[in-house]
Amino acid sequence: MCGIAGYLDFTRNLSDEYEKNYKIVKSMGNALTHRGPDSYGEYITNHAAFAHRRLVVIDPAGGAQPMKKKINGYEYVLVYNGELYNTDEIRNKLIHKGYQFFSTSDTEVVLTAYIEYGEKCVDEFNGIYGIAIWDPVKEACFLCRDRFGVKPLFYMQKDNQFLFASEIKGILANPEVSPVIDKYGLCEIFGLGPARTPGCGVYEGIHELKPGYAAYVDRNRSNIYCYWSLIAEEHTDNYEQTVEKTRFLLFDAIERQLVSDVPICTLLSGGVDSSIVSAVAANYQRKKGLTLDTYSFDFVDNKKYFKASNFQPSEDRPYVDIMVNAIRSNHKYLECETVKLAEYLKDAVLAKDLPGMADVDSSLFYFCREIKKNHTVCLSGECADEVFGGYPWFRDKEIYDRNAFPWSKNFDFRKEILDEDVLEQLPLEEYVNEQYENTLKLVAKLESDSKEVRRQREISYLNTAWFMTTLLDRKDRMTMASGLEVRVPFGDHRLIQYLYNVPWEYKYRRQEVKGLLRDSAKGILPDEVLYRKKSPYPKTYDPAYENLLKKTLKGILRDPDAPIHQLVNEARIEALMNQESDLGRPWFGQLMATPQMYAYLIEINFWLEHYDVQIKL
């Protein structure tokens, strides 16, 4: 994976001020060095300036960027962050059309596919990507992002310039840009955060190219459009056929994503999702005479404090042990200390350029630093719960009857920590409700769908368009902050499109959560793992962590210069911290409750301070 950045300006010739523009675009690229620590490059032509930071995964010698390819006297230029999983198929088609290739990299395939197919090249791609291509014939730039937003891409239109970067920090590195947040950005932070509205960059003027979207920018306009979305179709396969096709699509996605010229590993929690990925990967590696490397996460002393609940029915370690023995992987158990979990909250903000999922982020940040010591690429079980219906809210009658985001039910909690004057100025509930309603308008449905099926499609779409992208955003930033590439086979667009139309009674076969997935994995997992109850991403149960957060937050609230004073109700937050711990009052999803809200506020204060964010109400 890599980092890309650049800008376009059709009102002047950038080559005329080469040194000035080189310095600017290099600075934008340097802000993304963590994404690509292996090499770098810049390119400036008449109306475009590109920068690239490379993490070498395939063809170290032949995949350097910005990549140039000359056809009929015109030089096309590409900067690309991502990975194609059908590189060989596309290359062979292009060879039959007469093209020559000078590397084995997917980068050259992406660029050549654009030269041949133009904007339609994305129809050929199976992969994860953020792409920018300078087209010298049309004097235009083509940008696109993968179908579910596994790889990020942000942009900003400012005066005569169109700026873009893999991360917001790349845009902020341009001297013409200042970090400003208006009332709508604050609605994102306090009303929806750590989720973001698709397409929203939170900072004023900064946008995200939505998953499945592309942009075509020339001297006349910036045309931003959707090139792919889920389609509602009749599902005609019986259950046995559905199991067979699901198994094929999933296993094929896993094997495609194991292609790498550098060491590869998997994340293994002992849950069904990561165990399937690891089992298929282990078999694939074994055929090549290799042993799969696997990693699991936990927290120091968690065994001492862990208490089983409906939310977290069991510890991971016993199931990890079963899987390691079954697939004979070379496994490493990673544990994070409470102090580091709190320390890395700031690093997580720097990785994301925004406050995020608190210790869910900081723990992953820590674990990825450890994995990177030995590996550059790993596979994860992310996205399975969103597409197979694994979360509790897929089965919650209240969610069916209530028009709200399923993972953010307690909206009053969000309002009560805000300063009353600020709350009066923010259209908080209206904004959140508008984003919810706008999302429902995009849900693909059939005329024949019953009321129940329509609502099922809505909940499914909300999860893929919002919750899944939030987790993918977290995964990308926390991993790439260490130069570690994580691939998500459950995010394969062919699999998600197929499952979108599979009846829910199939997904919950025998009234069993993810029954379809379990049936698709029969024969490759031990029964103890195959039928294990869902247990989410691990979190610390050590009371010392919450106490440390309270101490830190109280220190911030007593600092008269802390920027968060502009926004929050200090008395209310102090009162909460003086009460008994409340782990049952969720701020966001299953993993963020009251303690994580404290961490979120700590992150907000650090973010405002470090980025010198200007608040505009």
Side-chain angles (χ1 to χ4, degrees), residues 247 251 272 276 516-525 530:
R247 182 182 176 101
F251 287 21
V272 173
I276 292 172
L516 170 60
L517 177 60
R518 296 177 200 274
D519 285 347
S520 301
K522 281 184 177 177
I524 69 161
L525 300 184
L530 185 63

Side-chain angles (χ1 to χ4, degrees), residues 577-609:
M577 288 191 287
N578 291 328
Q579 295 173 8
E580 187 176 340
S581 178
D582 186 356
L583 298 176
R585 197 177 188 200
W587 173 270
F588 181 83
Q590 302 175 92
L591 298 175
M592 289 185 70
T594 305
Q596 284 70 38
M597 183 272 287
Y598 301 148
Y600 190 60
L601 293 176
I602 292 168
E603 288 195 328
I604 290 173
N605 186 74
F606 173 74
W607 166 64
L608 292 171
E609 189 174 65

Side-chain angles (χ1 to χ4, degrees), residues 450-510:
S450 66
K451 181 180 178 181
E452 181 182 34
V453 170
R454 285 199 299 273
R455 187 56 179 157
Q456 289 168 348
R457 287 194 190 275
E458 288 175 349
I459 293 172
S460 177
Y461 187 84
L462 284 165
N463 274 273
T464 54
W466 280 81
F467 200 77
M468 188 173 85
T469 54
T470 299
L471 296 185
L472 290 173
D473 182 70
R474 157 190 172 255
K475 184 78 81 175
D476 175 83
R477 275 349 158 271
M478 298 310 120
T479 58
M480 292 303 294
S482 301
L484 177 69
E485 175 191 322
V486 173
R487 300 172 179 177
V488 284
F490 282 99
D492 185 283
H493 73 277
R494 301 166 304 158
L495 176 66
I496 297 178
Q497 171 58 56
Y498 181 72
L499 291 171
Y500 182 68
N501 294 296
V502 169
W504 279 37
E505 57 266 28
Y506 282 13
K507 294 177 184 177
Y508 294 110
R509 192 69 162 186
R510 302 175 300 277

Side-chain angles (χ1 to χ4, degrees), residues 401-595:
D401 298 335
R402 182 171 171 268
N403 284 321
F405 290 108
W407 47 85
S408 191
K409 293 164 65 172
N410 197 340
F411 197 73
D412 289 342
F413 189 18
R414 290 173 175 267
K415 292 194 296 183
E416 66 190 44
I417 66 165
L418 280 169
D419 177 83
E420 289 183 8
D421 291 338
V422 171
L423 193 56
E424 284 183 8
Q425 296 180 70
L426 297 185
L428 203 65
E429 283 193 81
E430 295 90 335
Y431 183 86
V432 172
N433 290 336
E434 182 182 4
Q435 307 318 312
Y436 176 84
E437 294 296 335
N438 286 342
T439 305
L440 294 193
K441 293 174 185 176
L442 301 175
V443 180
K445 303 172 185 175
L446 294 175
E447 289 290 332
S448 58
D449 287 345
S450 66
K451 181 180 178 181
E452 181 182 34
V453 170
R454 285 199 299 273
R455 187 56 179 157
Q456 289 168 348
R457 287 194 190 275
E458 288 175 349
I459 293 172
S460 177
Y461 187 84
L462 284 165
N463 274 273
T464 54
W466 280 81
F467 200 77
M468 188 173 85
T469 54
T470 299
L471 296 185
L472 290 173
D473 182 70
R474 157 190 172 255
K475 184 78 81 175
D476 175 83
R477 275 349 158 271
M478 298 310 120
T479 58
M480 292 303 294
S482 301
L484 177 69
E485 175 191 322
V486 173
R487 300 172 179 177
V488 284
F490 282 99
D492 185 283
H493 73 277
R494 301 166 304 158
L495 176 66
I496 297 178
Q497 171 58 56
Y498 181 72
L499 291 171
Y500 182 68
N501 294 296
V502 169
W504 279 37
E505 57 266 28
Y506 282 13
K507 294 177 184 177
Y508 294 110
R509 192 69 162 186
R510 302 175 300 277
Q511 295 299 302
E512 187 172 52
V513 176
K514 296 194 286 194
L516 170 60
L517 177 60
R518 296 177 200 274
D519 285 347
S520 301
K522 281 184 177 177
I524 69 161
L525 300 184
D527 284 352
E528 303 99 309
V529 174
L530 185 63
Y531 297 108
R532 180 192 179 189
K533 287 186 177 180
K534 174 178 169 51
S535 195
Y537 181 86
K539 61 191 295 182
T540 183
Y541 290 89
D542 188 344
Y545 176 65
E546 183 175 356
N547 292 334
L548 182 56
L549 292 177
K550 288 181 178 180
K551 181 180 178 181
T552 303
L553 185 55
K554 285 179 179 180
I556 290 170
L557 294 179
R558 289 166 189 161
D559 177 3
D561 297 323
I564 202 169
H565 285 301
Q566 308 168 73
L567 302 170
V568 299
N569 184 330
E570 293 102 326
R572 177 58 188 154
I573 295 168
E574 287 275 9
L576 276 173
M577 288 191 287
N578 291 328
Q579 295 173 8
E580 187 176 340
S581 178
D582 186 356
L583 298 176
R585 197 177 188 200
W587 173 270
F588 181 83
Q590 302 175 92
L591 298 175
M592 289 185 70
T594 305

Side-chain angles (χ1 to χ4, degrees), residues 169-241:
K169 59 176 62 68
I171 294 175
L172 294 178
N174 188 295
E176 299 297 318
V177 180
S178 299
V180 179
I181 186 166
D182 58 21
K183 62 183 180 180
Y184 301 109
L186 289 174
C187 286
E188 288 282 329
I189 295 293
F190 288 101
L192 295 165
R196 283 188 292 107
T197 300
C200 177
V202 181
Y203 294 88
E204 186 179 58
I206 295 180
H207 307 277
E208 173 191 54
L209 191 62
K210 295 179 186 178
Y213 270 64
Y216 186 80
V217 184
D218 62 19
R219 67 177 62 252
N220 298 314
R221 59 178 181 146
S222 301
N223 181 29
I224 297 166
Y225 60 94
C226 177
Y227 71 83
W228 189 90
S229 60
L230 289 168
I231 300 170
E233 299 172 315
E234 292 287 350
H235 186 77
T236 57
D237 293 343
N238 62 31
Y239 185 71
E240 290 71 25
Q241 291 169 328

